């Protein structure tokens, strides 16, 4: 999305937005669409929307994984992580496969009474299940499973089977991609999946992208790089900028901003690789964020929880608080009281519990709009951080005798530099700013070059210090260059100022 009357998209700095790479995480689609609508409707009346579309471009992919999302939203849904093709094997493994077995459009939980079960009916609310204490004996206990069918059931052992569609698209990006034996679901080779190949191709051919957001659910957190290593192994200047942008995000969304490595690892000793955000930052030097939208515990008043650890251990009172919140806001279908069901393989079981898709994975419908809207200001603010080239002055002066002095002054008026990040510069991802002259016939250069590198221009991101005692406001965002030409009055000289990340400018001047 851009205003094409002010230039083509590829000659403007860009923000990348995508959503719903994971099949069930459909909330992000709504944020992406709402952002597009806000920009479109605001153009011409809202100052920010107009500025952003005139000067920059938003590449928006509202549903990166349409096949997976279609399954999750089907009348009889199925939940896959990402891709819908079988991977890594073509056949289904034996064991329990999650499925809507009673055809009511919901995938819930199954509970089966068993003296060696690990669960019991909650003391706080009979609808809830509570963990049996390690030393607890003599009660009525249950086993809990996802709702589903068994393949090749032996009548005694029940094991939840790995999903036949085992791909995780967010492990399929080129950054530190790993094989199946090291990381499950990353695909046979980097960018092997058509959805990811399309994204990787597009982004590789659009060096104007400076900042990216990928929308996921859930946790109400803005994740920044790296996933694979601690902050002190990141370029220090980049870390400061990353944190500053994250701070803006935290203020505007009310979410927290953390490093994936430090605060969002699924296992304390394991990292994930091949993720979108690490690829964008590490290889291309653009600042990327993974935003985990929505969080049921947070919405229910359980604040500042440890994102991952909470699932391993938390007070049972938290579960009650969440259930009460869902009773008020979730609608009748959000938490389903247990009801008997004749399972074709397991006999008498009960179905019930969380309707996960519209409670945990995504907000209940009544809360969706508010969750979407709180994310729009940050997505817009990112457009106001982009580097922007501007021609401050282009002047031609006659020196007499057919000689002319031509002077060009350019500036980066944006916050980010024309190389986006130190990492980008190290990777040589963005080309430095270049200048090219195009001369009318009969005009020649006496001094200066027709085509040369102006180098990179800083923005304001290298000036984050807030103390005023050692101020030295460097004009390192400016550059100036001059030529001596031989020509004649009325001859036209075209000046092209070209950059990968900060837009390109074309201006003509007539010799006096
Ligand atoms: Zn996700």
């Amino acid at each position: 999305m851009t205003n094409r009357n002010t230039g083509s998209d590829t000659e403007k700095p860009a923000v990348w937005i995508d959503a719903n790479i994971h099949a069930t995480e459909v909330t992000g689609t709504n944020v992406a669409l709402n952002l597009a609508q806000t920009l479109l409707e605001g153009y011409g009346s809202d100052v920010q929307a107009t500025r952003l579309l005139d000067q920059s471009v938003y590449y928006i992919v509202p549903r990166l994984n349409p096949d997976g999302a279609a399954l999750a939203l089907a009348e009889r849904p199925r939940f896959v992580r990402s891709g819908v093709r079988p991977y890594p094997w073509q056949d289904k493994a034996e064991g329990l496969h999650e499925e809507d077995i009673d055809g009511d459009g919901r995938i819930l939980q199954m509970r089966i009474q068993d003296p060696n079960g690990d669960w019991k009916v909650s003391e706080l609310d009979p609808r809830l299940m509570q963990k049996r204490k390690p030393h607890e004996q003599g009660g009525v206990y249950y086993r809990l499973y996802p709702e589903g069918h068994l393949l090749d059931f032996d009548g005694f052992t029940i094991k939840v089977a790995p999903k036949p569609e085992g791909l995780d698209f967010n492990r399929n990006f080129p950054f530190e991609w790993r094989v199946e034996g090291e990381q499950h679901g990353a695909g046979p080779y980097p960018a092997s999946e058509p959805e990811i190949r399309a994204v990787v191709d597009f982004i590789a051919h659009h060096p104007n992208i400076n900042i990216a957001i990928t929308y996921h659910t859930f946790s109400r957190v803005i994740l920044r790089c790296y996933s694979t290593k601690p902050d002190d192994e990141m370029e220090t200047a980049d870390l400061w900028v990353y944190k500053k942008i994250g701070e803006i995000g935290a203020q505007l969304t009310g979410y927290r901003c953390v490093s994936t490595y430090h605060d969002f690892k699924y296992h304390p000793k394991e990292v994930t690789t091949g993720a979108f955000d690490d690829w964008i930052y590490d290889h291309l030097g653009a600042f990327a964020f993974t935003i985990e939208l929505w969080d049921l515990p947070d919405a229910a008043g359980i604040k500042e929880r440890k994102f991952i650890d909470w699932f391993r251990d938390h007070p049972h009172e938290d579960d009650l608080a969440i259930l009460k919140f869902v009773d008020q806001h979730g609608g009748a279908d959000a938490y389903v009281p247990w009801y008997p069901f004749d399972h074709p393989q397991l006999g008498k079981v009960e179905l019930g519990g969380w309707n996960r898709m519209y409670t945990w994975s995504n907000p209940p419908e009544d809360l969706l709009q508010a969750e979407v809207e709180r994310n729009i200001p940050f997505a817009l603010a990112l457009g106001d951080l982009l580097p922007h080239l501007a021609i401050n002055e282009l002047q031609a002066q006659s020196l007499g005798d057919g000689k002319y002095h031509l002077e060009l002054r350019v500036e980066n008026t944006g916050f980010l530099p024309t190389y986006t990040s130190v990492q980008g510069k190290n990777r040589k991802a963005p080309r430095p700013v270049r200048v090219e002259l195009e001369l009318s016939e009969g005009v020649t250069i006496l001094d200066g070059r027709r085509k040369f590198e102006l180098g990179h221009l800083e923005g304001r991101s290298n000036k984050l210090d807030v103390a005023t005692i050692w101020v030295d406001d460097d004009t390192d965002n400016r550059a100036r260059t001059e030529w001596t030409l031989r020509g004649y009055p009325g001859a036209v000289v075209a000046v092209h100022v070209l950059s990968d990340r900060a837009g390109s400018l074309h201006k003509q001047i007539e010799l006096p």
Side-chain angles (χ1 to χ4, degrees), residues 410-432:
V410 297
E411 301 194 75
N412 171 18
T413 63
F415 170 76
L416 290 175
T418 60
Y419 55 87
T420 315
S421 68
V422 177
Q423 181 70 12
K425 202 195 248 179
N426 293 346
R427 293 293 198 208
K428 292 197 192 306
R431 269 179 86 174

Side-chain angles (χ1 to χ4, degrees), residues 21-22 25 81 170 215-218 266 290 292:
I21 188 173
H22 288 143
E25 301 171 8
R81 177 66 167 164
N170 206 26
Y215 286 112
H216 289 238
T217 62
F218 59 86
Y266 294 106
T290 299
E292 299 282 357

Side-chain angles (χ1 to χ4, degrees), residues 52 211 245 248 378 380-388 414-417:
L52 293 176
I211 306 183
I245 301 175
I248 297 166
F378 182 46
L380 295 172
L382 295 181
D384 275 330
L385 299 173
L386 298 170
H388 277 286
F415 170 76
L416 290 175

